[in-house]
Amino acid sequence: MSLMIMFSVLVALTFSVTVICDDVRERRILLSDPDYIQQELHQIQVKLQEYDALKTEVTSLRSTVNELLAKKAGEKGVVYVRWGRKDCRGNGTELVYSGFAGGSNYQHTGAAAEYVCLPPDPLWGPHKDISSYAPAFMFGAEYEDPDLFGMPNRNEEVPCAVCRSTSFSTSIMIPARTTCYPGWEEAYTGNLAGGYYDHAASSEYVCVDEHPQTLIGGGTTDDNGKLFYQVRTRCGSLKCPPYEEDKVLSCVVCLK
């Protein structure tokens, strides 16, 4: 190695050592400087405050998310009518009210088709006593098939229960089934009911619970009104099989 190169290396090493020593000396001076220490402590305090503020914000956001999730869960629910019963069954289901099945008279050609569940505690509006030019009518309902519904006679009156499930968001009545399809949970099962085919009034199909109850005080008089009949199959446009001729149809109400 030439003298020139050795001299250059020596100079570089000397410079590096000098820089390191100066940096160490400067740090020692700074660490012994009260102003420098105070400045560093202040920076640490600022960082801690920023951390605390960030932690508080995260906690607030987490609380907001939990509130939104709780609200979302609270909004979940589905309402259905359990025909022929005064109560609701499990499945996270609550009773909204227990009432009286009703609807239009089976003889009226202008009758409304649907069955309704009337509450037991009506509140009358301001027009309760006005005269009427051309009214619709609301009647109670009776079972018209004592064998199917297990009634002592044809004059028993029909209860109903409006139920709300907070565990599900959808309900469906499936005719001709006694169990739900996979992925659905049973609310109740029973027998399909509707109006008599030769009556003047239109009707609809509803599912009457397999263990129907009656209203207290009914059954002594044949008041008619809205009527519940069994529903039987007729082959032709209805494919047989899988269906069979002149059989009583069951039903099930399912939740999801």
Side-chain angles (χ1 to χ4, degrees):
M1 182 181 296
S2 67
L3 290 175
M4 183 61 68
I5 294 174
M6 292 177 63
F7 178 76
S8 299
V9 171
L10 182 60
V11 170
L13 289 173
T14 302
F15 178 77
S16 298
V17 171
T18 302
V19 170
I20 292 172
C21 291
D22 289 342
D23 184 61
V24 171
R25 188 180 299 109
E26 183 179 358
R27 287 181 178 274
R28 286 177 178 175
I29 292 172
L30 290 173
L31 289 173
S32 63
D33 184 354
D35 292 336
Y36 173 76
I37 295 174
Q38 187 65 34
Q39 181 180 352
E40 289 296 307
L41 290 175
H42 177 71
Q43 291 297 325
I44 293 172
Q45 186 177 16
V46 169
K47 295 295 183 183
L48 288 174
Q49 289 175 347
E50 292 177 353
Y51 172 75
D52 289 339
L54 183 61
K55 187 167 65 173
T56 301
E57 184 177 356
V58 170
T59 301
S60 177
L61 288 174
R62 184 180 290 114
S63 177
T64 300
V65 169
N66 290 336
E67 289 176 3
L68 290 174
L69 290 175
K71 183 179 179 181
K72 182 69 175 177
E75 290 174 351
K76 187 176 183 179
V78 62
V79 175
Y80 63 92
V81 178
R82 189 181 184 193
W83 298 103
R85 295 289 299 190
K86 305 171 186 177
D87 56 349
C88 302
R89 282 180 54 187
N91 304 316
T93 302
E94 62 184 9
L95 178 67
V96 180
Y97 66 88
S98 175
F100 318 134
S104 294
N105 189 287
Y106 72 101
Q107 294 177 315
H108 295 173
T109 55
E114 70 270 22
Y115 297 89
V116 295
C117 188
L118 296 163
D121 50 354
L123 298 176
W124 302 102
H127 303 302
K128 173 186 175 183
D129 297 317
I130 66 172
S131 59
S132 173
Y133 169 69
F137 293 110
M138 180 67 71
F139 293 84
E142 293 181 346
Y143 297 108
E144 290 295 307
D145 196 318
D147 292 333
L148 178 67
F149 299 122
M151 300 297 147
N153 56 62
R154 296 177 58 184
N155 303 325
E156 297 292 346
E157 295 166 354
V158 185
C160 55
V162 177
C163 306
R164 178 177 182 264
S165 173
T166 56
S167 302
F168 303 91
S169 56
T170 304
S171 70
I172 182 174
M173 189 277 282
I174 306 177
R177 292 278 300 181
T178 57
T179 60
C180 299
Y181 288 106
W184 293 77
E185 185 165 337
E186 178 187 309
Y188 72 93
T189 186
N191 296 291
L192 197 65
Y196 182 60
Y197 80 94
D198 201 30
H199 282 165
S202 297
S203 183
E204 66 171 338
Y205 297 119
V206 293
C207 190
V208 176
D209 193 272
E210 63 180 334
H211 301 295
Q213 299 171 320
T214 62
L215 291 174
I216 296 175
T220 56
T221 58
D222 188 12
D223 297 317
N224 288 316
K226 192 71 172 175
L227 305 178
F228 285 76
Y229 286 88
Q230 62 176 256
V231 179
R232 306 185 72 90
T233 54
R234 285 292 181 266
C235 293
S237 54
L238 177 63
K239 300 305 177 185
C240 299
Y243 289 89
E244 299 178 28
E245 174 69 14
D246 199 27
K247 303 297 182 182
V248 176
L249 286 169
S250 56
C251 56
V252 62
V253 175
C254 303
L255 305 172
K256 189 173 184 177

